[in-house]
Amino acid sequence: MRCHWPVLLIAISFGAMSSTTRAAEPAPRYAEHHDLSYYLDANSQKQPIKSPTDWAKRREHIAAWMQTVMGPLPKPEKPVPLDVKVEEEVTIGELTRKKISYHTDSTERRVKAFLFLPKVGQASQPAILCLHQTTNIGKSEPAGLGGSPNLHYALHLAQRGYVTLAPDYPSFGEYPFDFAPAHGYTSGSMKAIYDNIRAVDLLQSLPDVDKDRIGCIGHSLGGHNTMFTAFFEPRIKCLVSNCGFTRFHKYYNGALKGWTSTRYMPLIDSRHHNSPDEVPFDFPEIVAGFAPRPFLASSPIGDSNFEVSGVKDSIASAKPIYELLGAADALQANYPNCAHDFPEDVRKVAYEFFDKHLKR
């Protein structure tokens, strides 16, 4: 049973670029986001990646370029107190479900979430952050309170013995948010990333939770929300993305408009002209950025949103990095014969992946 992986510590610190200029590029510019065999040195010359230290340089560059599109990752010296409040508590079989609210980045608004606590009598249990798809009911779907039964994964995983937390994405469920720049975010994606980082803070604060065994899962919007968050949050030790991504060049044949609303990354439109050739990062780099942590790409061959060959490309690109870090078996993919969904047999693969890597 593998619960602890060697930690590759990478310092990521740089300023945000404005939305109208590229005067101060934060890192060497890469044209080949699927080729992870090299990094660019200070003279923009290719140097082969032969060691974890070499990869750390490339990963730092990837993180820098992601933040030129998403905006800078908040790193407050004193985060806003979570101030968790329980608004409702019910018993469901052997589970306790609490509706809670808490602060993330402001005392003027609260995130609402469903927290499931299994009654298994253990002092320290693994926990999983469960991120919802694009649905008006937000957190209620993974919590089993509506929507598709195939997407009730916060409830399902709690029934398997995990503490689970299902929060609202900004602007869904009970979380009104207008994404105005005055709130301090360049993109909805970065706002969600920071909210999820605070959700990890919340999970680690619970006496029921083993702080070193926290996972993350999501479908569709929740799938790439999981990936973006885990790239920047090393406390997420294991993750599953279902129907969550493909290479930008294979997203609707390179038409990136779907990524550009204020809920996601509007600079892909205003700065990068919806062109996958111009966006300065891509999913092969993100997947490699998880290494050596366990990652399962659950990607149906009939997914009309996220073309499966772009997932296979990303896994192939990231595989050498996982091997370099001694974690070849931690990178897994499942390509079921279904559409943009998460049916029982596909969920079984995902849930067993968590059991393998998070349970003792």
Side-chain angles (χ1 to χ4, degrees), residues 143-193:
L145 296 174
S148 170
N150 283 345
L151 300 176
H152 292 174
Y153 36 83
L155 173 61
H156 298 157
L157 287 162
Q159 291 169 335
R160 294 178 75 96
Y162 294 93
V163 174
T164 62
L165 180 67
D168 282 323
Y169 189 100
S171 78
F172 290 103
E174 298 177 274
Y175 192 1
F177 195 81
D178 62 12
F179 300 104
H183 296 312
Y185 296 91
T186 301
S187 71
S189 295
M190 184 54 74
K191 165 60 176 168
I193 289 168

Side-chain angles (χ1 to χ4, degrees), residues 106-325:
S106 169
T107 57
E108 297 178 359
R109 54 182 174 265
R110 301 181 71 84
V111 177
K112 294 189 178 182
F114 285 110
L115 174 67
F116 286 88
L117 301 172
K119 296 180 180 179
V120 295
Q122 296 180 5
S124 185
Q125 303 162 70
I128 299 177
L129 179 61
C130 300
L131 306 178
H132 65 76
Q133 67 159 338
T134 300
T135 176
N136 289 334
I137 65 173
K139 64 187 177 300
S140 293
E141 185 167 61
L145 296 174
S148 170
N150 283 345
L151 300 176
H152 292 174
Y153 36 83
L155 173 61
H156 298 157
L157 287 162
Q159 291 169 335
R160 294 178 75 96
Y162 294 93
V163 174
T164 62
L165 180 67
D168 282 323
Y169 189 100
S171 78
F172 290 103
E174 298 177 274
Y175 192 1
F177 195 81
D178 62 12
F179 300 104
H183 296 312
Y185 296 91
T186 301
S187 71
S189 295
M190 184 54 74
K191 165 60 176 168
I193 289 168
Y194 187 65
D195 280 357
N196 294 335
I197 288 172
R198 298 311 316 276
V200 175
D201 290 341
L202 191 158
L203 286 171
Q204 287 198 324
S205 75
L206 299 176
D208 311 77
V209 171
D210 184 332
K211 296 176 174 58
D212 294 321
R213 292 189 289 157
I214 294 177
C216 191
I217 188 174
H219 168 75
S220 197
L221 162 64
H224 47 261
N225 191 13
T226 291
M227 296 174 72
F228 295 156
T229 301
F231 184 92
F232 290 106
E233 178 47 86
R235 292 177 297 173
I236 293 174
K237 302 300 185 183
C238 180
L239 62 150
V240 174
S241 174
N242 185 69
C243 299
F245 75 105
T246 189
R247 286 187 60 204
F248 284 135
H249 283 84
K250 294 187 175 181
Y251 179 80
Y252 292 105
N253 296 315
L256 302 185
K257 195 67 176 177
W259 286 105
T260 64
S261 77
T262 55
R263 281 174 168 166
Y264 308 110
M265 294 172 280
L267 290 187
I268 288 179
D269 181 12
S270 62
R271 179 184 292 163
H272 300 295
H273 313 102
N274 297 321
S275 170
D277 291 329
E278 293 188 30
V279 178
F281 69 92
D282 204 350
F283 281 95
E285 296 169 305
I286 293 173
V287 172
F290 304 143
R293 294 171 292 167
F295 171 58
L296 172 66
S298 180
S299 303
I301 62 175
D303 189 343
S304 60
N305 290 30
F306 298 103
E307 210 281 324
V308 69
S309 71
V311 177
K312 292 180 178 180
D313 292 346
S314 300
I315 297 299
S317 292
K319 185 177 180 180
I321 302 302
Y322 268 82
E323 292 172 345
L324 177 70
L325 299 182

Side-chain angles (χ1 to χ4, degrees), residues 33-81:
H33 303 294
H34 61 285
D35 184 354
L36 302 178
S37 65
Y38 69 93
Y39 71 91
L40 296 176
D41 63 20
N43 297 314
S44 293
Q45 298 298 307
K46 292 183 179 181
Q47 301 296 336
I49 292 176
K50 296 182 178 180
S51 69
T53 300
D54 294 335
W55 166 241
K57 296 173 183 177
R58 176 72 182 262
R59 191 189 191 280
E60 184 175 358
H61 297 163
I62 296 164
W65 283 113
M66 288 174 69
Q67 288 175 88
T68 68
V69 179
M70 296 179 177
L73 178 69
K75 295 182 179 180
E77 291 185 9
K78 294 183 179 180
V80 172

